Amino acid sequence: MGRAVMAGRQPTGAGGLVLSILVILTAERCAAQKGDGCGPTVLGPSSGTLSSLGYPGTYPNDTVCEWEISVPRGSRVHFRFAELDFENSNCQANYLRLYNGFGTERREIVKYCGLSVKVKELIESSGNQVTVQFMSGTHHTGRGFYLSYSTTEHTDLITCLDKGTNFPEAEFSKYCPAGCLTSNEEISGTIPNGYRESSPVCVAAVHAGVVSNSAGGRISAVNSKGILHYEATLANNVTSTGGTLSNSLFTFRTNGCYRRLGLESVGVADSQLSASSVFECKTGAGPDSVWAPSGARLKKAGLPWAASQLDQRQWLQVDLKKEKRITGITTTGSTEREYQYYVSAYRVLFSSDGQQWSVYREANASQDKIFQGNINYLHEVRNNFIPPIEARFVRINPTLWHQRIALKLELVGCQITDTVSRPPEQRPRMSPPSGHAPPAGTKRPPHLGGTTHTPDIRNTTMPPHTGKDVALAAILVPVLVMVLTALILIVVCAWHWRNRKKSSEGTYDLPHWDRTDWWKSMKQLLPSKMVETEDSVRYSSSEVGRLTGRGAVPRMHAEPAEYAQPLVSGVTTLGARSTFKPDEGPDPGYSDPDLYDAPISPDVYHAYAEPLPASGSEYATPIVVDMGCHPAGGSSLGQPAAAAAACGFMGAGPASLLPRPDGGQSERSAYDTPKNATGQATPTEDLTYQVPQSSTQKPTGKG
């Protein structure tokens, strides 16, 4: 008892084409529905979807609908509810009932009523025939119901509203029912990038071409980390919307038979493309004015193929040179802004010899499949063949178009490697032989299998792995990241602490230096005259005469002044070194090390030379040189002989600076004796200042 069952989903988009799909199911023992309260429904021989009228809005008052579902003998039916929401003021008027059997012999399985009823378990029949009855009376609230069914062999049946978030495991395999395009749920994403976690899994599976809307089927999916952006595309009569970053996404495992077959890459030569007619533009000249079949290559710049006639008998043909398994097709319009032409709906014909042609149909369908075409001249639209086509020749027959028939396309599929091993019902069959290609309106459908073939599962979007491996990786990766981060922080903190410790030490913190090596390096930087002995002296030539002829005087040790006085006119200096006081640091309490004195023991000398005792002069008394060689008045050695000796010393030149050899009384050394405050010489044990003697000077004495 065959009935027409409507299932519709309208693709959306600016300026898009609104296309309603009428799915006709005529298989025996399939299903039937009657009444005025039936919503969008798809009833297949092994699975399907039912809903109340107006869902997800409020169902109308005083309506009734009954569905009779039949599956092959020996099988049973089970149901899974996505939503049950009836006003519970009167369960005699608003309810849903399930029965075993048909007609007067049916027996009630269960009855539901009430708002937001949660039914988590599968409801199973006792036989292969089930009646579903929905009654509505007067009510004000309630969304109605939405449920799915399948044969009991599919124990992992899910509903069309189950989202990716309902399956948090790393990998999952579920059975999707037929008719999920009856839902109004939106998806976000596309293949091969994946679908946002909030997308309904079965609707996304139809969009991806893993299962067909008319038959349903098994899906296998993998969860992974989300991406920044999800692309919006139209495929298999499902429009996915664009989306932003999400926590996770899911992708579908496929059999891998989705390679491009050569139109875009020019693997298919121009001679392998032909058409029923070719449009020639009359406003221009040259090759660009011909809209030839060679332009019908996806992503190729320039004019596409366009037909000269505008009727449903036009076609574009591709010769693949040998039979191949064709799993999908992607089309676009002219892609030329000046010519916004595109095909909005088309049929697909195929042949093995180019003579006998068949029109593609979905599984269990008695009508030709009308594919959703483009909704504008620019964007691509993909459709999948489930089950796939195995043929050498493929024809595209436009049935609807915008302004003019024009398109570009690409076929996807793979080589046929298991034709012998595949069961006959899983391969499209050719229609009866014919001497010529049928016109577009001729229907010669192949006999397709009753169910959608489940391909051999192989992951083409992600490397295969087990759930345990994924769970282990999900634990280990964050732990390793945290450990590495902690190690990096420890190293950075240690380096920073060490630098701070070094910076806290003074630039002149000599306890950390080798004092001896430091002093040697400083001496290399000073002028040669500044590295003389600590006892460098200054003396005047006017005193040389006084010291000549004097007896040996005990050496005296004079404490140096704190700072040397600057030189005055007439004073010569031998071996003078810099004794200017070093600049004080910014902190008066900070004691800089002695940068100008040799490293000596602190118990012998102070860091700076100690001042002269209070009994003597604070600074050495300058000795004035009489440049005219006159006697110095007031001198304690005011004899003419002393003055002559001084002049003789000044005239001696460099020779007078030579030391005089010791010998007897006449070989006495002359010293500049320090004076006290009264001008008297103070004898000491040692002489501090030694006067160089001339090598030509002879000792004086009697006789």
Side-chain angles (χ1 to χ4, degrees):
M1 149 172 160
R3 295 286 184 90
V5 183
M6 186 275 292
R9 185 182 179 96
Q10 297 178 346
T12 59
L17 174 68
V18 178
L19 183 65
S20 297
I21 305 296
L22 184 65
V23 179
I24 308 296
L25 303 176
T26 59
E28 293 185 1
R29 308 179 311 276
C30 178
Q33 68 177 22
K34 56 186 178 182
D36 56 357
C38 304
T41 302
V42 171
L43 305 177
S46 59
S47 67
T49 303
L50 295 74
S51 64
S52 57
L53 184 63
Y55 180 86
T58 303
Y59 53 94
N61 292 329
D62 303 321
T63 59
V64 62
C65 184
E66 287 190 359
W67 296 265
E68 293 181 347
I69 301 171
S70 179
V71 297
R73 293 183 182 276
S75 299
R76 291 176 297 171
V77 183
H78 58 192
F79 297 86
R80 186 174 293 280
F81 288 87
E83 186 170 7
L84 274 172
D85 189 46
F86 304 125
E87 187 174 290
N88 58 0
S89 59
N90 187 351
C91 286
Q92 299 299 319
N94 297 277
Y95 62 85
L96 180 72
R97 277 181 176 173
L98 302 181
Y99 297 91
N100 279 317
F102 297 154
T104 57
E105 297 181 356
R106 64 190 184 186
R107 298 181 305 277
E108 182 178 304
I109 302 174
V110 67
K111 178 181 179 181
Y112 294 106
C113 66
L115 294 172
S116 302
V117 179
K118 302 296 183 182
V119 183
K120 297 182 179 180
E121 67 276 4
L122 287 169
I123 308 301
E124 187 173 327
S125 69
S126 60
N128 68 320
Q129 294 180 336
V130 178
T131 299
V132 180
Q133 182 186 67
F134 169 64
M135 295 286 293
S136 71
T138 302
H139 65 282
H140 302 283
T141 60
R143 290 159 54 94
F145 76 95
Y146 194 87
L147 63 83
S148 301
Y149 75 89
S150 73
T151 55
T152 52
E153 63 188 62
H154 305 301
T155 57
D156 53 356
L157 171 70
I158 61 176
T159 71
C160 300
L161 303 185
D162 287 326
K163 302 180 183 345
T165 52
N166 299 120
F167 310 105
E169 55 267 36
E171 297 184 16
F172 60 92
S173 178
K174 302 295 178 181
Y175 187 85
C176 287
C180 280
L181 297 193
T182 58
S183 72
N184 294 321
E185 297 293 323
E186 290 187 348
I187 65 170
S188 180
T190 186
I191 57 171
N193 298 327
Y195 295 87
R196 190 184 178 92
E197 59 185 352
S198 59
S199 302
V201 174
C202 292
V203 178
V206 175
H207 181 273
V210 178
V211 298
S212 69
N213 180 64
S214 63
R218 180 165 301 282
I219 59 97
S220 180
V222 178
N223 282 318
S224 59
K225 184 177 178 59
I227 58 178
L228 295 176
H229 177 71
Y230 295 90
E231 184 181 358
T233 59
L234 174 59
N236 299 308
N237 202 33
V238 181
T239 300
S240 71
T241 60
T244 56
L245 175 66
S246 67
N247 292 330
S248 64
L249 59 81
F250 59 89
T251 55
F252 296 103
R253 295 180 181 270
T254 69
N255 61 359
C257 191
Y258 292 96
R259 295 188 294 272
R260 298 181 183 271
L261 296 183
L263 277 80
E264 179 182 344
S265 63
V266 199
V268 174
D270 290 346
S271 59
Q272 296 172 241
L273 301 175
S274 57
S276 57
S277 62
V278 175
F279 174 64
E280 295 184 9
C281 183
K282 304 299 184 182
T283 59
D288 289 342
S289 63
V290 178
W291 300 51
S294 59
R297 300 177 184 275
L298 193 69
K299 300 185 184 300
K300 178 183 179 181
L303 297 176
W305 166 74
S308 60
Q309 305 296 322
L310 300 180
D311 57 49
Q312 294 188 0
R313 299 176 64 88
Q314 305 304 308
W315 47 262
L316 174 68
Q317 177 177 302
V318 180
D319 180 6
L320 300 175
K321 291 300 183 181
K322 64 178 181 179
E323 285 194 358
K324 293 185 179 180
R325 182 170 299 146
I326 307 165
T327 58
I329 180 174
T330 302
T331 61
T332 187
S334 66
T335 67
E336 298 291 327
R337 188 171 183 177
E338 298 82 1
Y339 310 100
Q340 298 188 13
Y341 309 147
Y342 57 89
V343 173
S344 55
Y346 58 90
R347 283 188 287 258
V348 175
L349 293 80
F350 57 94
S351 173
S352 294
D353 56 7
Q355 301 298 320
Q356 301 177 6
W357 294 87
S358 300
V359 183
Y360 184 83
R361 293 179 181 177
E362 287 189 309
N364 307 315
S366 61
Q367 299 293 323
D368 299 339
K369 167 73 174 182
I370 304 297
F371 290 92
Q372 166 72 57
N374 297 94
I375 58 176
N376 56 50
Y377 72 98
L378 184 60
H379 295 106
E380 299 176 4
V381 174
R382 173 176 49 83
N383 284 285
N384 291 90
F385 305 129
I386 304 176
I389 295 173
E390 292 184 357
R392 171 182 171 178
F393 298 92
V394 176
R395 280 186 179 180
I396 310 303
N397 171 220
T399 58
L400 291 174
W401 54 88
H402 177 73
Q403 296 184 9
R404 178 171 292 280
I405 298 173
L407 62 83
K408 299 178 181 181
L409 79 154
E410 177 63 278
L411 299 174
V412 295
C414 58
Q415 302 291 336
I416 299 176
T417 57
D418 60 344
T419 303
V420 177
S421 61
R422 290 184 65 192
E425 64 271 13
Q426 295 181 1
R427 300 196 304 268
R429 294 182 180 180
M430 305 301 295
S431 59
S434 175
H436 60 279
T442 303
K443 300 176 182 179
R444 296 185 178 181
H447 179 71
L448 301 179
T451 60
T452 301
H453 169 58
T454 302
D456 296 333
I457 299 301
R458 183 173 68 85
N459 187 10
T460 60
T461 59
M462 304 180 67
H465 54 273
T466 63
K468 293 183 179 179
D469 293 338
V470 174
L472 183 61
I475 296 174
L476 290 179
V477 170
V479 171
L480 291 176
V481 171
M482 293 178 63
V483 170
L484 291 176
T485 303
L487 290 176
I488 293 173
L489 289 176
I490 291 173
V491 172
V492 171
C493 290
W495 177 81
H496 183 65
W497 176 82
R498 184 176 180 182
N499 287 345
R500 289 190 60 184
K501 183 177 180 181
K502 287 185 177 181
S503 62
S504 65
E505 298 175 354
T507 306
Y508 304 102
D509 194 2
L510 295 183
H512 295 280
W513 293 8
D514 188 332
R515 293 178 177 269
T516 303
D517 294 341
W518 173 82
W519 174 246
K520 291 180 179 180
S521 63
M522 288 294 296
K523 291 172 64 177
Q524 294 176 359
L525 300 176
L526 298 175
S528 59
K529 288 186 179 182
M530 298 181 64
V531 295
E532 296 292 336
T533 178
E534 288 292 324
D535 295 330
S536 298
V537 298
R538 290 179 299 200
Y539 52 89
S540 65
S541 58
S542 62
E543 294 294 327
V544 174
R546 300 183 192 178
L547 301 177
T548 304
R550 292 177 58 184
V553 181
R555 290 187 64 187
M556 62 177 298
H557 179 76
E559 295 294 335
E562 183 177 0
Y563 303 106
Q565 291 295 321
L567 299 178
V568 296
S569 176
V571 179
T572 60
T573 303
L574 295 178
R577 71 179 184 89
S578 175
T579 57
F580 289 100
K581 183 178 180 181
D583 294 337
E584 293 183 355
D587 185 1
Y590 180 81
S591 176
D592 286 335
D594 182 13
L595 301 180
Y596 300 93
D597 201 0
I600 55 179
S601 176
D603 56 355
V604 179
Y605 296 102
H606 294 287
Y608 297 102
E610 294 182 351
L612 295 174
S615 59
S617 302
E618 182 178 0
Y619 305 106
T621 303
I623 302 174
V624 180
V625 178
D626 185 357
M627 304 302 294
C629 296
H630 297 289
S635 172
S636 60
L637 298 176
Q639 300 300 326
C647 293
F649 171 76
M650 295 182 60
S656 64
L657 299 178
L658 296 176
R660 178 178 179 180
D662 296 335
Q665 182 178 0
S666 62
E667 296 176 356
R668 292 176 303 173
S669 298
Y671 297 89
D672 184 11
T673 303
K675 304 297 190 298
N676 55 21
T678 59
Q680 300 297 325
T682 304
T684 58
E685 296 179 0
D686 297 318
L687 292 178
T688 306
Y689 306 99
Q690 180 180 4
V691 179
Q693 303 297 324
S694 173
S695 60
T696 59
Q697 183 178 0
K698 294 181 181 181
T700 60
K702 294 180 180 181

